[in-house]
Amino acid sequence: PDGSAPNYLIQSTGGMLYGTTGLGGAEHSGVLFRLAGSGTADVLHEFPFRDRSLFSTILPGGADTAPTLMEASDGNFYGTTFGIGSNHGGTLFRAMPAGEYVDLVNFYGLVNGAQPLAPPIQASDGALYGSTVFHGIFVDDSGGSVYRSTPGGELATVHVFNQYDEGNRVAAALIEGTDGALYGTGARGGQGNSGNSGTVFKTTTDGSSVTVLHSFSGADGAGPVAPLIQASDGNFYGTTFAGGPADLGTVFRVNPSGGFTLLHTFNGADGANPSAAVIQASDGNLYGVTQGGGAHGLGAVFRVTLGGAFQLMHSFDGTDGERPSRRLIQGSDGHLYGTAERGGPGGGGVVFRLIDVSCEDTLTLSYAGGTLNLGFHIRSAVPSLWTNWLVTTGAVVPLWSLPIPPVSRGVDFNVPIPQFPHLGYVGVLTILANPQVQAVCGDWKIVNTGTP
């Protein structure tokens, strides 16, 4: 009744979490929900029956047909549906936070495109821009299109893709670059690409200029069905559903001029088949999810630095969800939130929070004039309250246990201990415990205090 197979999740400017599911509801075609603080889902809208018959043939397996969602500057939510509407070509809709819902556009093939699989974005000019998977009379003759719409639903086609060179099956949301252009991925096609493995493209908002920045070969990735992000370094980062040595997907970087770098290839143990965009969290690293792979083969959460250093963060085991296919978000509390389409106690999917428990305690020691000086650098992955620290001798006998003031992410401070006796070499062990994120970290240093 409250939906199943959750997909899109956003945090509104009011702080509430809103999302959509791909299944469930009266017509088993998904719902628009609001997540209450208690964890219960309030259903705001039930989507009508939709035709999913095309889904199995049009895209790599990473794409999904769930209703999409984004929040615009007017405080309303906008999204798209697949296989719904008067022509079964999908719709562009508007929903208000209280649940009022209206279809703004009915897509229809050759007229204005068909089957939008990604939410629109609101560009700096205030207009909504999005993509359709098809734009033609027949499925096989279409490369898809980019559209522009006002918040009131006045729609115009910006560009129709040449499916062979520019790419086709544009399933991912567009993004606006810092240069004002729109960037995106095509899941198929590509220049000189016999493997039909997809593209990364750039287009002006009026469609007058379209540039293919990269055509995938398969070895460097295939089937990009996720949006790009532009990171703090100005480069674009993304994932492919397949490709790479194991054909299980990749993480890549493309610079604005088209220079391409392969950052990571998935091997199954560390994840497989990512269909979601990565996000850049406040620590500067990229985080993402994979639909498969990990320790249990049911999906994973990963972190990768802008330089390509990779870490598996979590493997889903079914009880905590499986098959996550949409991007994570970072909440105002610093934690990462996401959805998994399946698994959980009821088997209908979960909304989860990932807490990064990493912390750092860097200790420096000095001794002069009978004063032992302890210098600390304390860092937490999320805003934290350190509760205590402990300084001990080499025999691990507690000498002091003093509270450390609340810190947010990181702090440096110095603790002088006057009238410290001459004990020769003194070992100091600091232990910092933070129950809020279930983290413990410490450091060990030795200083010579001289002899009595």
Side-chain angles (χ1 to χ4, degrees):
D2 62 351
S4 65
N7 275 264
Y8 281 88
L9 186 70
I10 64 173
Q11 184 175 30
S12 72
T13 52
M16 297 287 288
L17 295 176
Y18 291 81
T20 62
T21 71
L23 300 172
E27 298 290 334
H28 203 49
S29 290
V31 304
L32 169 65
F33 68 87
R34 177 177 57 221
L35 198 65
S38 61
T40 59
D42 299 325
V43 175
L44 303 180
H45 178 73
E46 294 180 308
F47 292 98
F49 173 78
R50 57 194 169 100
D51 182 2
R52 296 186 285 267
S53 59
L54 289 174
F55 173 53
S56 62
T57 60
I58 62 173
L59 287 166
D64 192 17
T65 61
T68 69
L69 199 65
M70 58 83 70
E71 184 181 21
S73 58
D74 60 6
N76 294 319
F77 304 113
Y78 294 83
T80 60
T81 66
F82 178 99
I84 291 178
S86 58
N87 304 303
H88 296 287
T91 65
L92 171 67
F93 68 82
R94 178 179 65 224
M96 297 182 181
E100 297 89 342
Y101 179 97
V102 61
D103 283 325
L104 298 175
V105 175
N106 284 277
F107 290 96
Y108 180 59
L110 188 61
V111 178
N112 58 7
Q115 309 306 353
L117 275 175
I121 65 165
Q122 187 170 35
S124 54
D125 62 5
L128 304 177
Y129 291 86
S131 59
T132 63
V133 176
F134 308 123
H135 196 104
I137 300 176
F138 303 106
V139 170
D140 291 337
D141 71 352
S142 169
S145 65
V146 172
Y147 66 82
R148 176 178 62 243
S149 176
T150 66
E154 298 177 12
L155 187 134
T157 298
V158 171
H159 181 73
V160 178
F161 288 94
N162 176 323
Q163 63 172 321
Y164 301 107
D165 293 332
E166 297 173 342
N168 65 73
R169 307 298 194 259
V170 183
L174 305 170
I175 67 166
E176 183 180 23
T178 55
D179 58 359
L182 304 177
Y183 293 79
T185 58
R188 301 292 193 199
Q191 295 174 333
N193 184 354
S194 60
N196 198 30
S197 295
T199 64
V200 176
F201 64 83
K202 168 185 176 181
T203 178
T204 54
T205 54
D206 62 2
S208 60
S209 174
V210 177
T211 304
V212 175
L213 297 179
H214 183 72
S215 294
F216 290 95
S217 65
D220 59 1
V225 293
L228 302 168
I229 68 161
Q230 188 170 24
S232 55
D233 62 0
N235 295 317
F236 298 92
Y237 294 81
T239 62
T240 66
F241 183 77
D247 200 27
L248 295 176
T250 67
V251 182
F252 64 86
R253 177 176 64 229
V254 176
N255 67 35
S257 300
F260 181 89
T261 303
L262 186 62
L263 295 180
H264 183 73
T265 60
F266 291 96
N267 60 26
D270 59 2
N273 305 125
S275 62
V278 293
I279 68 165
Q280 186 175 31
S282 55
D283 64 0
N285 295 316
L286 307 177
Y287 292 82
V289 296
T290 65
Q291 286 200 34
H296 310 285
L298 298 176
V301 182
F302 65 87
R303 173 170 59 201
V304 61
T305 67
L306 299 186
F310 181 92
Q311 181 181 358
L312 177 65
M313 300 291 293
H314 179 74
S315 293
F316 291 90
D317 63 10
T319 63
D320 56 1
E322 58 183 273
R323 192 181 161 85
S325 64
R326 295 301 180 195
R327 69 177 179 88
L328 302 167
I329 64 172
Q330 186 169 30
S332 55
D333 58 2
H335 296 314
L336 300 178
Y337 292 80
T339 60
E341 293 181 31
R342 303 174 185 171
V350 302
V351 179
F352 63 85
R353 177 175 62 209
L354 183 76
I355 302 175
D356 185 354
V357 300
S358 63
C359 61
E360 177 185 346
D361 165 29
T362 303
L363 168 69
T364 58
L365 287 181
S366 65
Y367 182 83
T371 298
L372 181 66
N373 287 285
L374 293 79
F376 293 92
H377 170 73
I378 301 171
R379 187 198 65 83
S380 170
V382 296
S384 306
L385 175 63
W386 294 106
T387 56
N388 63 74
W389 58 275
L390 198 65
V391 182
T392 71
T393 65
V396 197
V397 176
L399 298 181
W400 305 276
S401 182
L402 300 175
I404 286 178
V407 300
S408 178
R409 306 235 179 228
V411 67
D412 294 278
F413 60 92
N414 185 72
V415 177
I417 304 175
Q419 299 179 346
F420 193 89
H422 292 276
L423 298 177
Y425 285 94
V426 173
V428 176
L429 171 68
T430 61
I431 302 173
L432 297 97
N434 186 347
Q436 181 182 347
V437 293
Q438 301 175 351
V440 175
C441 60
D443 198 5
W444 165 264
K445 290 291 187 298
I446 297 176
V447 66
N448 186 2
T449 65
T451 56

